Amino acid sequence: MRTPMIAGNWKLHKTIAEATSLASELTAAVASNQNVEIVVAPVYTALSKVAETLAGSNVKLAAQNCYPEPQGAFTGEVSPLLLKDAGCEYVIIGHSERRQLFAETDESVNKKALALAEGGLGTIFCIGETLEERETGKMFDVLRQQVTAGLKNLTTEQMKTVVVAYEPVWAIGTGKVATDEQAQEVHSFIRGLLAELYDAQTAAATRILYGGSVKPGNVDGLMTQPDVDGALVGGASLKAEDFARIANFEPAA
Ligand code: PGA
């Protein structure tokens, strides 16, 4: 019932030429994959060129961030309206790097979520606990707070275009992937929370991606978990072959 999503977060990597070349290698490698929604998120400057490369393919475009106002005196910012204009269908918000390095808060993430819903863009909404929060028993409280505050005032209708990405901070870029069971435990908690905040139908329909050191070698196990609906991939999305293998995952029967 939930279409799996495999999304590549290219972070601050690749020139326009490198990004378009990766995009064209990737579209060739995943051309026969019709069952998965495949998304890539290049840097802002490469978006419109990559959009041209992806045109007519089964790979969609996302941005890595946005500013929640459509236009105005906001030097250096980019709005949902402009991202849509550049060809984006999704925007990643609340990534832990933005929370840690750029002072993003649940409140600012919430403004972005509301602006994206207004602007008709899909949202990839990231949450995740630090190792310390996990080890001191605060994980579920932290995740509850991030979900509740980050999605505040989003209607049930608007939730249809939201994808949640659970990315434990300790697993991002560390090579230390969550176990299949750890991912499933948290995804099931998040789905329960969505049922509490919205309703059972919304919870059942919302895709929950896992992110943090997803690689060709561990994606199949993760995707076998009932509440893992896809992956948000950083490092391994920078190589077409690896990302294509992740998108073409083969869950155990
Ligand atoms: P990683 O990054 O796959 O390199 O761990 C994931 C992410 O930051 O979304």
Side-chain angles (χ1 to χ4, degrees), residues 127-168:
I127 56 170
E129 83 289 354
T130 62
L131 189 59
E132 197 207 337
E133 288 162 347
R134 175 175 275 263
E135 287 178 343
T136 54
K138 299 195 192 100
M139 175 177 80
F140 291 118
D141 288 343
V142 167
L143 296 169
R144 173 179 287 273
Q145 164 66 19
Q146 289 175 341
V147 172
T148 308
L151 299 178
K152 194 173 163 199
N153 294 331
L154 257 80
T155 64
T156 304
E157 189 58 30
Q158 289 173 329
M159 276 303 289
K160 289 182 180 160
T161 57
V162 173
V163 177
V164 178
Y166 167 58
E167 299 204 300

mmCIF file of all heavy atoms in Angstrom, residues 127-168:
data_model
loop_
_atom_site.group_PDB
_atom_site.id
_atom_site.type_symbol
_atom_site.label_atom_id
_atom_site.label_comp_id
_atom_site.label_asym_id
_atom_site.label_seq_id
_atom_site.Cartn_x
_atom_site.Cartn_y
_atom_site.Cartn_z
ATOM 1 N N ILE A 127 13.993 13.447 11.392
ATOM 2 C CA ILE A 127 14.093 13.461 12.852
ATOM 3 C C ILE A 127 15.139 12.421 13.258
ATOM 4 O O ILE A 127 15.522 11.573 12.443
ATOM 5 C CB ILE A 127 12.742 13.095 13.510
ATOM 6 C CG1 ILE A 127 12.249 11.730 12.994
ATOM 7 C CG2 ILE A 127 11.698 14.173 13.252
ATOM 8 C CD1 ILE A 127 11.062 11.198 13.771
ATOM 9 N N GLY A 128 15.584 12.485 14.492
ATOM 10 C CA GLY A 128 16.522 11.465 14.954
ATOM 11 C C GLY A 128 17.194 11.875 16.249
ATOM 12 O O GLY A 128 17.366 13.059 16.515
ATOM 13 N N GLU A 129 17.553 10.858 17.036
ATOM 14 C CA GLU A 129 18.159 11.120 18.345
ATOM 15 C C GLU A 129 19.675 11.015 18.252
ATOM 16 O O GLU A 129 20.205 10.334 17.387
ATOM 17 C CB GLU A 129 17.617 10.121 19.382
ATOM 18 C CG GLU A 129 18.296 8.742 19.413
ATOM 19 C CD GLU A 129 17.962 7.867 18.206
ATOM 20 O OE1 GLU A 129 17.121 8.259 17.387
ATOM 21 O OE2 GLU A 129 18.541 6.764 18.083
ATOM 22 N N THR A 130 20.355 11.676 19.204
ATOM 23 C CA THR A 130 21.806 11.519 19.303
ATOM 24 C C THR A 130 22.105 10.239 20.082
ATOM 25 O O THR A 130 21.204 9.665 20.724
ATOM 26 C CB THR A 130 22.450 12.705 20.054
ATOM 27 O OG1 THR A 130 21.925 12.713 21.389
ATOM 28 C CG2 THR A 130 22.159 14.038 19.381
ATOM 29 N N LEU A 131 23.368 9.843 20.069
ATOM 30 C CA LEU A 131 23.761 8.639 20.813
ATOM 31 C C LEU A 131 23.511 8.839 22.311
ATOM 32 O O LEU A 131 23.003 7.956 22.994
ATOM 33 C CB LEU A 131 25.245 8.315 20.553
ATOM 34 C CG LEU A 131 25.712 6.968 21.092
ATOM 35 C CD1 LEU A 131 24.902 5.827 20.489
ATOM 36 C CD2 LEU A 131 27.196 6.760 20.809
ATOM 37 N N GLU A 132 23.834 10.037 22.778
ATOM 38 C CA GLU A 132 23.645 10.320 24.202
ATOM 39 C C GLU A 132 22.164 10.219 24.588
ATOM 40 O O GLU A 132 21.817 9.659 25.625
ATOM 41 C CB GLU A 132 24.197 11.712 24.527
ATOM 42 C CG GLU A 132 24.402 11.899 26.016
ATOM 43 C CD GLU A 132 24.311 13.350 26.456
ATOM 44 O OE1 GLU A 132 24.526 14.246 25.620
ATOM 45 O OE2 GLU A 132 23.991 13.559 27.646
ATOM 46 N N GLU A 133 21.312 10.762 23.744
ATOM 47 C CA GLU A 133 19.870 10.687 24.032
ATOM 48 C C GLU A 133 19.394 9.233 24.052
ATOM 49 O O GLU A 133 18.587 8.838 24.903
ATOM 50 C CB GLU A 133 19.087 11.512 22.999
ATOM 51 C CG GLU A 133 19.268 13.005 23.205
ATOM 52 C CD GLU A 133 18.897 13.868 21.997
ATOM 53 O OE1 GLU A 133 18.715 13.341 20.873
ATOM 54 O OE2 GLU A 133 18.816 15.090 22.172
ATOM 55 N N ARG A 134 19.926 8.429 23.135
ATOM 56 C CA ARG A 134 19.553 7.013 23.110
ATOM 57 C C ARG A 134 20.047 6.318 24.371
ATOM 58 O O ARG A 134 19.312 5.590 25.030
ATOM 59 C CB ARG A 134 20.115 6.350 21.848
ATOM 60 C CG ARG A 134 19.887 4.843 21.761
ATOM 61 C CD ARG A 134 20.351 4.268 20.433
ATOM 62 N NE ARG A 134 19.343 4.376 19.381
ATOM 63 C CZ ARG A 134 18.503 3.404 19.028
ATOM 64 N NH1 ARG A 134 18.539 2.240 19.641
ATOM 65 N NH2 ARG A 134 17.633 3.581 18.065
ATOM 66 N N GLU A 135 21.303 6.581 24.709
ATOM 67 C CA GLU A 135 21.903 5.847 25.831
ATOM 68 C C GLU A 135 21.374 6.286 27.191
ATOM 69 O O GLU A 135 21.484 5.548 28.160
ATOM 70 C CB GLU A 135 23.437 5.963 25.767
ATOM 71 C CG GLU A 135 23.995 5.102 24.630
ATOM 72 C CD GLU A 135 25.505 5.188 24.464
ATOM 73 O OE1 GLU A 135 26.103 6.147 24.994
ATOM 74 O OE2 GLU A 135 26.060 4.295 23.791
ATOM 75 N N THR A 136 20.797 7.475 27.249
ATOM 76 C CA THR A 136 20.263 7.922 28.540
ATOM 77 C C THR A 136 18.741 7.773 28.609
ATOM 78 O O THR A 136 18.086 8.367 29.470
ATOM 79 C CB THR A 136 20.650 9.394 28.821
ATOM 80 O OG1 THR A 136 20.226 10.188 27.703
ATOM 81 C CG2 THR A 136 22.144 9.562 29.015
ATOM 82 N N GLY A 137 18.201 6.995 27.669
ATOM 83 C CA GLY A 137 16.774 6.676 27.745
ATOM 84 C C GLY A 137 15.840 7.798 27.319
ATOM 85 O O GLY A 137 14.653 7.767 27.608
ATOM 86 N N LYS A 138 16.385 8.799 26.610
ATOM 87 C CA LYS A 138 15.528 9.935 26.219
ATOM 88 C C LYS A 138 15.018 9.824 24.785
ATOM 89 O O LYS A 138 14.317 10.718 24.297
ATOM 90 C CB LYS A 138 16.313 11.244 26.349
ATOM 91 C CG LYS A 138 16.798 11.546 27.756
ATOM 92 C CD LYS A 138 17.224 13.010 27.863
ATOM 93 C CE LYS A 138 17.976 13.278 29.155
ATOM 94 N NZ LYS A 138 19.436 13.305 28.955
ATOM 95 N N MET A 139 15.412 8.767 24.101
ATOM 96 C CA MET A 139 15.143 8.673 22.663
ATOM 97 C C MET A 139 13.667 8.889 22.291
ATOM 98 O O MET A 139 13.350 9.719 21.432
ATOM 99 C CB MET A 139 15.610 7.312 22.150
ATOM 100 C CG MET A 139 15.265 7.058 20.703
ATOM 101 S SD MET A 139 15.918 5.495 20.125
ATOM 102 C CE MET A 139 14.716 4.350 20.781
ATOM 103 N N PHE A 140 12.780 8.162 22.942
ATOM 104 C CA PHE A 140 11.373 8.260 22.530
ATOM 105 C C PHE A 140 10.789 9.642 22.834
ATOM 106 O O PHE A 140 9.973 10.149 22.068
ATOM 107 C CB PHE A 140 10.541 7.143 23.167
ATOM 108 C CG PHE A 140 10.870 5.776 22.610
ATOM 109 C CD1 PHE A 140 11.387 4.775 23.419
ATOM 110 C CD2 PHE A 140 10.681 5.497 21.254
ATOM 111 C CE1 PHE A 140 11.702 3.523 22.889
ATOM 112 C CE2 PHE A 140 10.995 4.249 20.717
ATOM 113 C CZ PHE A 140 11.508 3.259 21.541
ATOM 114 N N ASP A 141 11.239 10.250 23.939
ATOM 115 C CA ASP A 141 10.771 11.614 24.256
ATOM 116 C C ASP A 141 11.250 12.604 23.207
ATOM 117 O O ASP A 141 10.503 13.488 22.779
ATOM 118 C CB ASP A 141 11.295 12.057 25.632
ATOM 119 C CG ASP A 141 10.587 11.328 26.763
ATOM 120 O OD1 ASP A 141 9.505 10.756 26.503
ATOM 121 O OD2 ASP A 141 11.111 11.322 27.887
ATOM 122 N N VAL A 142 12.505 12.471 22.811
ATOM 123 C CA VAL A 142 13.082 13.378 21.811
ATOM 124 C C VAL A 142 12.335 13.236 20.486
ATOM 125 O O VAL A 142 11.949 14.227 19.851
ATOM 126 C CB VAL A 142 14.592 13.074 21.618
ATOM 127 C CG1 VAL A 142 15.153 13.754 20.388
ATOM 128 C CG2 VAL A 142 15.371 13.486 22.859
ATOM 129 N N LEU A 143 12.099 12.002 20.081
ATOM 130 C CA LEU A 143 11.421 11.769 18.801
ATOM 131 C C LEU A 143 9.973 12.276 18.865
ATOM 132 O O LEU A 143 9.472 12.881 17.915
ATOM 133 C CB LEU A 143 11.455 10.281 18.438
ATOM 134 C CG LEU A 143 12.865 9.710 18.184
ATOM 135 C CD1 LEU A 143 12.817 8.193 18.093
ATOM 136 C CD2 LEU A 143 13.467 10.301 16.913
ATOM 137 N N ARG A 144 9.331 12.050 19.997
ATOM 138 C CA ARG A 144 7.952 12.527 20.161
ATOM 139 C C ARG A 144 7.897 14.052 20.029
ATOM 140 O O ARG A 144 7.050 14.600 19.337
ATOM 141 C CB ARG A 144 7.396 12.091 21.523
ATOM 142 C CG ARG A 144 6.032 12.676 21.868
ATOM 143 C CD ARG A 144 5.534 12.191 23.225
ATOM 144 N NE ARG A 144 5.124 10.796 23.169
ATOM 145 C CZ ARG A 144 3.905 10.390 22.824
ATOM 146 N NH1 ARG A 144 2.975 11.273 22.507
ATOM 147 N NH2 ARG A 144 3.602 9.121 22.791
ATOM 148 N N GLN A 145 8.848 14.720 20.669
ATOM 149 C CA GLN A 145 8.907 16.179 20.615
ATOM 150 C C GLN A 145 9.162 16.646 19.166
ATOM 151 O O GLN A 145 8.505 17.566 18.672
ATOM 152 C CB GLN A 145 10.015 16.671 21.565
ATOM 153 C CG GLN A 145 10.477 18.106 21.366
ATOM 154 C CD GLN A 145 9.390 19.137 21.681
ATOM 155 O OE1 GLN A 145 8.413 18.818 22.369
ATOM 156 N NE2 GLN A 145 9.548 20.342 21.152
ATOM 157 N N GLN A 146 10.111 16.019 18.493
ATOM 158 C CA GLN A 146 10.435 16.435 17.120
ATOM 159 C C GLN A 146 9.232 16.266 16.187
ATOM 160 O O GLN A 146 8.948 17.136 15.370
ATOM 161 C CB GLN A 146 11.633 15.627 16.587
ATOM 162 C CG GLN A 146 12.958 16.015 17.256
ATOM 163 C CD GLN A 146 14.115 15.134 16.813
ATOM 164 O OE1 GLN A 146 13.926 14.036 16.284
ATOM 165 N NE2 GLN A 146 15.328 15.601 17.044
ATOM 166 N N VAL A 147 8.536 15.150 16.328
ATOM 167 C CA VAL A 147 7.380 14.897 15.452
ATOM 168 C C VAL A 147 6.228 15.852 15.799
ATOM 169 O O VAL A 147 5.641 16.491 14.917
ATOM 170 C CB VAL A 147 6.901 13.426 15.557
ATOM 171 C CG1 VAL A 147 5.590 13.221 14.811
ATOM 172 C CG2 VAL A 147 7.974 12.478 15.019
ATOM 173 N N THR A 148 5.929 15.953 17.081
ATOM 174 C CA THR A 148 4.785 16.766 17.503
ATOM 175 C C THR A 148 4.980 18.225 17.134
ATOM 176 O O THR A 148 4.090 18.861 16.554
ATOM 177 C CB THR A 148 4.577 16.622 19.033
ATOM 178 O OG1 THR A 148 4.528 15.233 19.332
ATOM 179 C CG2 THR A 148 3.298 17.275 19.484
ATOM 180 N N ALA A 149 6.169 18.774 17.439
ATOM 181 C CA ALA A 149 6.412 20.191 17.173
ATOM 182 C C ALA A 149 6.685 20.445 15.686
ATOM 183 O O ALA A 149 6.248 21.457 15.134
ATOM 184 C CB ALA A 149 7.584 20.681 18.018
ATOM 185 N N GLY A 150 7.382 19.530 15.055
ATOM 186 C CA GLY A 150 7.743 19.734 13.643
ATOM 187 C C GLY A 150 6.538 19.678 12.711
ATOM 188 O O GLY A 150 6.506 20.342 11.681
ATOM 189 N N LEU A 151 5.547 18.868 13.079
ATOM 190 C CA LEU A 151 4.373 18.716 12.203
ATOM 191 C C LEU A 151 3.149 19.475 12.728
ATOM 192 O O LEU A 151 2.042 19.317 12.210
ATOM 193 C CB LEU A 151 4.020 17.224 12.038
ATOM 194 C CG LEU A 151 5.105 16.347 11.398
ATOM 195 C CD1 LEU A 151 4.640 14.899 11.334
ATOM 196 C CD2 LEU A 151 5.458 16.853 9.999
ATOM 197 N N LYS A 152 3.374 20.326 13.730
ATOM 198 C CA LYS A 152 2.271 21.064 14.361
ATOM 199 C C LYS A 152 1.429 21.823 13.318
ATOM 200 O O LYS A 152 1.988 22.483 12.431
ATOM 201 C CB LYS A 152 2.864 22.061 15.364
ATOM 202 C CG LYS A 152 1.875 22.650 16.304
ATOM 203 C CD LYS A 152 2.595 23.487 17.361
ATOM 204 C CE LYS A 152 1.600 24.404 18.029
ATOM 205 N NZ LYS A 152 2.276 25.494 18.706
ATOM 206 N N ASN A 153 0.125 21.720 13.469
ATOM 207 C CA ASN A 153 -0.835 22.431 12.603
ATOM 208 C C ASN A 153 -0.890 21.933 11.157
ATOM 209 O O ASN A 153 -1.555 22.544 10.322
ATOM 210 C CB ASN A 153 -0.593 23.945 12.604
ATOM 211 C CG ASN A 153 -0.878 24.555 13.969
ATOM 212 O OD1 ASN A 153 -1.723 24.036 14.706
ATOM 213 N ND2 ASN A 153 -0.179 25.611 14.313
ATOM 214 N N LEU A 154 -0.190 20.860 10.840
ATOM 215 C CA LEU A 154 -0.371 20.274 9.509
ATOM 216 C C LEU A 154 -1.667 19.466 9.532
ATOM 217 O O LEU A 154 -1.884 18.677 10.456
ATOM 218 C CB LEU A 154 0.799 19.362 9.128
ATOM 219 C CG LEU A 154 1.770 20.004 8.137
ATOM 220 C CD1 LEU A 154 2.689 20.949 8.909
ATOM 221 C CD2 LEU A 154 2.566 18.977 7.386
ATOM 222 N N THR A 155 -2.504 19.670 8.527
ATOM 223 C CA THR A 155 -3.784 18.963 8.502
ATOM 224 C C THR A 155 -3.577 17.526 8.017
ATOM 225 O O THR A 155 -2.529 17.187 7.444
ATOM 226 C CB THR A 155 -4.761 19.653 7.540
ATOM 227 O OG1 THR A 155 -4.201 19.543 6.220
ATOM 228 C CG2 THR A 155 -4.950 21.126 7.889
ATOM 229 N N THR A 156 -4.595 16.720 8.233
ATOM 230 C CA THR A 156 -4.564 15.341 7.744
ATOM 231 C C THR A 156 -4.345 15.335 6.228
ATOM 232 O O THR A 156 -3.586 14.518 5.697
ATOM 233 C CB THR A 156 -5.909 14.652 8.087
ATOM 234 O OG1 THR A 156 -6.087 14.778 9.492
ATOM 235 C CG2 THR A 156 -5.923 13.206 7.698
ATOM 236 N N GLU A 157 -4.983 16.268 5.560
ATOM 237 C CA GLU A 157 -4.841 16.378 4.107
ATOM 238 C C GLU A 157 -3.384 16.705 3.744
ATOM 239 O O GLU A 157 -2.802 16.104 2.839
ATOM 240 C CB GLU A 157 -5.796 17.475 3.609
ATOM 241 C CG GLU A 157 -5.939 17.587 2.099
ATOM 242 C CD GLU A 157 -6.417 16.305 1.437
ATOM 243 O OE1 GLU A 157 -7.155 15.520 2.062
ATOM 244 O OE2 GLU A 157 -6.022 16.088 0.256
ATOM 245 N N GLN A 158 -2.797 17.648 4.474
ATOM 246 C CA GLN A 158 -1.406 18.043 4.194
ATOM 247 C C GLN A 158 -0.421 16.929 4.519
ATOM 248 O O GLN A 158 0.638 16.838 3.910
ATOM 249 C CB GLN A 158 -1.068 19.320 4.984
ATOM 250 C CG GLN A 158 -1.794 20.545 4.435
ATOM 251 C CD GLN A 158 -1.601 21.775 5.308
ATOM 252 O OE1 GLN A 158 -1.448 21.690 6.522
ATOM 253 N NE2 GLN A 158 -1.618 22.949 4.693
ATOM 254 N N MET A 159 -0.775 16.058 5.456
ATOM 255 C CA MET A 159 0.104 14.942 5.816
ATOM 256 C C MET A 159 0.283 13.952 4.666
ATOM 257 O O MET A 159 1.224 13.162 4.660
ATOM 258 C CB MET A 159 -0.444 14.213 7.050
ATOM 259 C CG MET A 159 -0.045 14.844 8.354
ATOM 260 S SD MET A 159 1.747 14.987 8.558
ATOM 261 C CE MET A 159 2.211 13.267 8.789
ATOM 262 N N LYS A 160 -0.616 14.011 3.689
ATOM 263 C CA LYS A 160 -0.515 13.082 2.548
ATOM 264 C C LYS A 160 0.765 13.314 1.744
ATOM 265 O O LYS A 160 1.202 12.429 1.017
ATOM 266 C CB LYS A 160 -1.739 13.222 1.639
ATOM 267 C CG LYS A 160 -2.988 12.667 2.285
ATOM 268 C CD LYS A 160 -4.192 12.759 1.366
ATOM 269 C CE LYS A 160 -5.428 12.196 2.059
ATOM 270 N NZ LYS A 160 -6.677 12.658 1.471
ATOM 271 N N THR A 161 1.334 14.521 1.838
ATOM 272 C CA THR A 161 2.547 14.801 1.060
ATOM 273 C C THR A 161 3.810 14.842 1.939
ATOM 274 O O THR A 161 4.854 15.301 1.510
ATOM 275 C CB THR A 161 2.408 16.128 0.287
ATOM 276 O OG1 THR A 161 2.123 17.168 1.228
ATOM 277 C CG2 THR A 161 1.302 16.057 -0.748
ATOM 278 N N VAL A 162 3.657 14.343 3.170
ATOM 279 C CA VAL A 162 4.815 14.316 4.076
ATOM 280 C C VAL A 162 5.376 12.895 4.167
ATOM 281 O O VAL A 162 4.638 11.931 4.355
ATOM 282 C CB VAL A 162 4.426 14.817 5.486
ATOM 283 C CG1 VAL A 162 5.587 14.624 6.466
ATOM 284 C CG2 VAL A 162 4.012 16.281 5.438
ATOM 285 N N VAL A 163 6.688 12.804 4.029
ATOM 286 C CA VAL A 163 7.412 11.552 4.240
ATOM 287 C C VAL A 163 8.305 11.794 5.453
ATOM 288 O O VAL A 163 8.988 12.818 5.515
ATOM 289 C CB VAL A 163 8.284 11.230 3.006
ATOM 290 C CG1 VAL A 163 9.110 9.971 3.219
ATOM 291 C CG2 VAL A 163 7.425 11.106 1.744
ATOM 292 N N VAL A 164 8.268 10.892 6.418
ATOM 293 C CA VAL A 164 9.115 11.053 7.608
ATOM 294 C C VAL A 164 10.411 10.286 7.365
ATOM 295 O O VAL A 164 10.388 9.173 6.840
ATOM 296 C CB VAL A 164 8.401 10.506 8.873
ATOM 297 C CG1 VAL A 164 9.301 10.623 10.103
ATOM 298 C CG2 VAL A 164 7.082 11.251 9.103
ATOM 299 N N ALA A 165 11.549 10.886 7.726
ATOM 300 C CA ALA A 165 12.825 10.160 7.639
ATOM 301 C C ALA A 165 13.422 10.061 9.040
ATOM 302 O O ALA A 165 13.771 11.075 9.642
ATOM 303 C CB ALA A 165 13.778 10.873 6.697
ATOM 304 N N TYR A 166 13.495 8.834 9.540
ATOM 305 C CA TYR A 166 14.140 8.601 10.833
ATOM 306 C C TYR A 166 15.633 8.403 10.601
ATOM 307 O O TYR A 166 16.043 7.433 9.975
ATOM 308 C CB TYR A 166 13.538 7.375 11.530
ATOM 309 C CG TYR A 166 14.385 6.934 12.713
ATOM 310 C CD1 TYR A 166 14.653 7.828 13.757
ATOM 311 C CD2 TYR A 166 14.952 5.666 12.776
ATOM 312 C CE1 TYR A 166 15.462 7.455 14.822
ATOM 313 C CE2 TYR A 166 15.751 5.283 13.836
ATOM 314 C CZ TYR A 166 16.008 6.183 14.854
ATOM 315 O OH TYR A 166 16.815 5.824 15.902
ATOM 316 N N GLU A 167 16.411 9.357 11.096
ATOM 317 C CA GLU A 167 17.862 9.284 10.914
ATOM 318 C C GLU A 167 18.562 9.453 12.259
ATOM 319 O O GLU A 167 18.802 10.586 12.700
ATOM 320 C CB GLU A 167 18.332 10.396 9.975
ATOM 321 C CG GLU A 167 17.732 10.319 8.588
ATOM 322 C CD GLU A 167 18.625 11.015 7.577
ATOM 323 O OE1 GLU A 167 18.876 12.221 7.729
ATOM 324 O OE2 GLU A 167 19.088 10.341 6.656
ATOM 325 N N PRO A 168 18.896 8.340 12.914
ATOM 326 C CA PRO A 168 19.631 8.471 14.171
ATOM 327 C C PRO A 168 20.951 9.194 13.900
ATOM 328 O O PRO A 168 21.696 8.811 12.989
ATOM 329 C CB PRO A 168 19.850 7.022 14.617
ATOM 330 C CG PRO A 168 19.536 6.153 13.448
ATOM 331 C CD PRO A 168 18.685 6.938 12.503
#
